[in-house]
Amino acid sequence: MLRSLFILLSAITLWNTRLSAQTKVLPLEGIWDFKLDPFETGVNSNGVQLQPQLAETITLPGSTDQGGKGYKTQGMTSLRLTRAFEYKGIAWYEKEIYVPADWQDKEVELFLERAHWETQVWINGQPAGRRESLSVPHVYSVSSLIRAGEKNKVRIRVNNDKIYDIEYAHAISAETQTNWNGIIGKIALQAYDKVHLADVQIYPDAAKRSAKAKITIRNATAKAVNGRLTFSGAAGGKNIPVSSATFSGKDSVMIVNTEIALGDSLLLWDEFHPNLYRLEVKLEADGHYADEKKVNVGVRSLATKGTQFIFNGRPAFIRGTVNSSEFPLTGYPHTTVEEWTRIFRVCRDYGLNAMRFHSWCPPEAAFVAADELGMYLQVENPDWRFTVGKDSATNRFLKEEGERILDTYGNHPSFIMFCEGNEMVGPTVKEFLSAQVTHWKERDPRHLYTGSAAYPIVPESDYNVLYGARPHRWKEGLKSRFNVKPLDTWYDYSEYVAKHKVPMITHEIGQWCVYPNFKEIPKYTGVLKPYNYELFREMLRESRMLDQAEEFTTASGKFSVIMKKEEVESYLRTPGFGGYHMLQLNDFPGQGTAPVGVVDIFWDPKPYVTAAEFSRFQAPAVPLLRTTSFTWTNGQTFQATAQFANFGESPINDAVAHWTLKYPDGTIYAEGDLAKTDIPIGAPFTLGELSVPLNRIQEAVKLDVEIGIKGTDCSNKWGIWVYPEQLKAPQSKDVMIAHRWNDKVKSYLEKGGKVLLLADTADVRSDADPVFSGISWNTVWSGMPPNLLGILCDPQHPALRHFPTQFHSNWQWWDVVRHSKPLVLDKLPYSFKPLVQMVPDWNRPRKIGLVFEAKVGKGSLLVSGADLRNGLDKRPVARQLLYSLQQYVNSDEFAPDVTVDAAVIDALFK
């Protein structure tokens, strides 16, 4: 059913867009007097301040961490970044400022853009009130307390203790931004005329080419006033019609509702064309009161049709990353448009169109930057509880916090979606979420709403962020899809879509880890220290593998991108799918440390993939490949279906898809064009069939299948591996083929013989698991496999000369790795490196190998921990690896350079 939510959207740019020519501002940034108050001695039971003169100083905007205040950290942890200074409790800030005499008849506000997270204010020793919010500015009306023409003392009490039990929300989490104490962003006294604009809310209607305006006017005269509002502006170089509305009355707060025409040539806002109307609202009253506000308005319609999003009348697909508030230099979020613009540009470069703010709400600057760039934002209340229903005070706070978020940021066109929080549990969680979503819909129809990310689902939601539709679910171990069977791209998530009547965004996908990059350590120059990375580095040094750190990062990184690619494409090839939230594009610094990003925590690129490479499969328009296998023999015909996901701004008419099969050197094995067609918006759309006999291939090879649309930059590629069905048996040169390590083998080696030991995996003494996939999130949090990060090898080594491979894992390694027992080789010499090594868990850096060689006695030994004996008639990959190893041991190149005592080999086997 089409639920048309024609969304009125607009965006008030930064705090300074609130300010008019009539507004006077006294910035309060700079040095403040300061004192910690861990024992809450600053106020007595009557609310009278007892605290003496504050003896220390601190700089605002900023935090106690930045000021070196609090308790200096004594230890370190591998679980997360470490705060150099920690403090939780009350801190006092005081500043003296001269207020001009011409403020005598003004209405004065104290504006604190973001405080963490309860404040109380005194002006000249008199209380001005209390505010609490993690998400919006703390604003105080202080007109009656300010002495114009004199110096005034502003004293602020900030409390970052557990005001409410919101448990794990990233708004306060030690795992990400930290529970800092302080005030950031704009801090100022602001003076307005007695009659002024208190709030402007704009509700565009694309169908009517107009916008409803709800204007809140503050009247502090205590008298009747008469005034006029004038609306003007422009978009795309064209002025919108000027209109006006009158108001009158003596109420202290007056609401004016009116409609503004936007002109005949309506410009819509979306990811492709983030058009913004520059709207100016002017107030004049009684001839001497005046005010004005400038508002950026984006007109867009949001709707759902069945299980798909419909934005501006077109099917839309959410390609999002999760932002968990990771800001290691400051410990708190950016408040400048420039910094958020940089972050969102990185997201766009890597193919994303959306960002989910996991259990927190960003500052105004993030919305402004997203408005300008066309990013879709899912904002969330600071809520991640397992106790919903046990604390009515927390429920009240979150209900009010949601209202504050909608009222403060609701104008922004980038504010597409709103969610209560993450993975919520509790005795009345469904009742609470249903009430929240219902309330939000009634209060502000400009957004789409859902209850909780992952679970539980409530029927009031416009869409679901659903856990489960991913190849590795939490604690699934080696039963996850990538570990159970070889890659088959006919797999999709249609069964999940079929269970729901609204769009589904799949929850926190792509959690494939990369070995930590220790070259990032010098970048941590702020309040959070990478002691976790330093611990991992020292553990690797103690394991005598620090020289391989960079190789581990690159190999595991390449493999992680391969897995992310398949995961993203599986959603694009699922009919009716709504989108995904990737956890995440950048690294996550906590919860055991999860280096899951393709950019680092600072949003800088990692060394193993470029934005151009990544965005080939994560983009508005992506070719897709459906095939039953990625390993073939030369007696088979490669069969595949070419498909396309088009979530661009328009259909692609008269499209001709060109496909190629290429050798590694770029030579074309086969190519062709598919029939000309019109590609509609949506996915998946079938372009045609590929059928390529592979009988001309004589030696094992990796071929790249590439599909592109002629005349566009839309292209994508996949690797397939082709192996000969028949392999000539190598001519033996007195090589012993053994299946067990025993005295006979040792004696043969002692006499100078060559041995290929194809070990029975049951005989291997090892606790290493035969893991194909990389680590999902991290093993500290999961406590179970997958606990390795793929293979590392030298493709140029003669042992692999006849086995086409890259230096990292790819899909052809599945059969070899899953039918193996990796060997733990920690006892072998420092200089020893396995021929095929498994990249270890950074929490347990062990030397693990599938294939290794050593000089034992006078002889040469090559050992395989992979099963290269059983069922080879149906296992072309294993058959080919065995052939390559046999060719090697029968050559003069088989001459291991590291000597290992036979007793060390003894310990590897039962």
Side-chain angles (χ1 to χ4, degrees), residues 666-910:
T667 303
I668 293 176
Y669 175 80
E671 65 179 327
D673 288 344
L674 300 176
K676 182 185 292 186
T677 187
D678 295 336
I679 302 175
I681 298 176
F685 178 80
T686 298
L687 297 170
E689 304 297 322
L690 278 65
S691 180
V692 184
L694 301 172
N695 56 347
R696 291 187 285 118
I697 294 174
Q698 300 303 313
E699 296 182 349
V701 68
K702 174 182 179 284
L703 296 177
D704 283 331
V705 183
E706 188 163 356
I707 300 173
I709 304 299
K710 288 184 174 181
T712 76
D713 57 1
C714 298
S715 69
N716 201 359
K717 71 176 181 179
W718 305 260
I720 67 169
W721 291 263
V722 183
Y723 304 98
E725 284 194 336
Q726 302 297 325
L727 292 167
K728 294 180 180 179
Q731 296 181 355
S732 177
K733 294 183 179 180
D734 300 322
V735 174
M736 175 187 286
I737 307 295
H739 304 304
R740 279 186 168 80
W741 176 254
N742 52 32
D743 291 341
K744 182 180 178 181
V745 172
K746 287 187 273 189
S747 176
Y748 193 73
L749 288 167
E750 189 61 36
K751 295 176 183 178
K754 295 181 178 182
V755 175
L756 174 57
L757 177 57
L758 305 175
D760 187 326
T761 56
D763 289 342
V764 175
R765 188 190 304 275
S766 172
D767 62 351
D769 297 295
V771 176
F772 173 71
S773 79
I775 294 170
S776 180
W777 204 234
N778 61 74
T779 57
V780 172
W781 233 235
S782 70
M784 63 190 305
N787 48 17
L788 299 170
L789 292 163
I791 66 104
L792 171 66
C793 67
D794 177 6
Q796 304 306 314
H797 194 281
L800 300 174
R801 181 171 293 151
H802 301 284
F803 186 77
T805 184
Q806 296 143 302
F807 66 90
H808 54 81
S809 279
N810 210 326
W811 300 113
Q812 91 281 17
W813 278 99
W814 187 93
D815 177 62
V816 173
V817 174
R818 289 298 283 131
H819 296 97
S820 73
K821 187 61 177 176
L823 298 109
V824 180
L825 305 170
D826 288 339
K827 301 297 184 183
L828 275 70
Y830 169 77
S831 59
F832 170 82
K833 300 288 190 297
L835 298 182
V836 179
Q837 187 172 358
M838 302 298 292
V839 178
D841 179 1
W842 59 92
N843 291 288
R844 195 182 183 192
R846 300 189 294 171
K847 189 174 292 186
I848 299 174
L850 285 183
V851 180
F852 73 89
E853 65 178 0
K855 185 174 181 63
V856 181
K858 298 178 182 178
S860 299
L861 172 67
L862 182 66
V863 180
S864 170
D867 176 8
L868 302 182
R869 296 170 54 203
N870 298 301
L872 296 187
D873 58 324
K874 297 180 180 179
R875 298 174 59 208
V877 183
R879 186 170 67 232
Q880 188 67 38
L881 180 57
L882 173 61
Y883 174 78
S884 190
L885 297 181
Q886 287 175 323
Q887 292 291 102
Y888 174 58
V889 297
N890 281 286
S891 73
D892 294 336
E893 294 175 290
F894 181 37
D897 55 6
V898 177
T899 299
V900 177
D901 191 273
V904 176
I905 306 297
D906 288 344
L908 300 177
F909 298 96
K910 298 175 183 178

Side-chain angles (χ1 to χ4, degrees), residues 135-136 199 201 203 361 367 379 381 399-412 415 417-419 436-437 439-449:
S135 308
V136 307
D199 189 36
Q201 296 289 331
Y203 302 82
C361 174
F367 293 93
V379 181
N381 237 355
K399 181 177 184 294
E400 294 173 357
E401 187 79 341
E403 294 172 350
R404 288 188 285 260
I405 290 171
L406 292 173
D407 293 347
T408 304
Y409 308 115
N411 277 324
H412 291 280
F415 189 170
M417 298 169 175
F418 191 44
C419 172
Q436 285 285 75
V437 173
H439 177 61
W440 298 336
K441 287 182 177 181
E442 293 172 351
R443 187 181 185 91
D444 190 341
R446 290 176 290 188
H447 321 285
L448 297 174
Y449 298 103

Side-chain angles (χ1 to χ4, degrees), residues 14-15 61 113-114 180 183-186 327 332-340 362-366:
L14 260 194
W15 62 267
E113 182 173 350
R114 180 151 297 196
W180 50 278
I183 307 169
I184 62 171
K186 177 206 171 187
F327 301 94
Y332 56 72
H334 301 306
T335 57
T336 66
V337 175
E338 292 75 18
E339 285 291 343
W340 282 104
E364 179 89 4

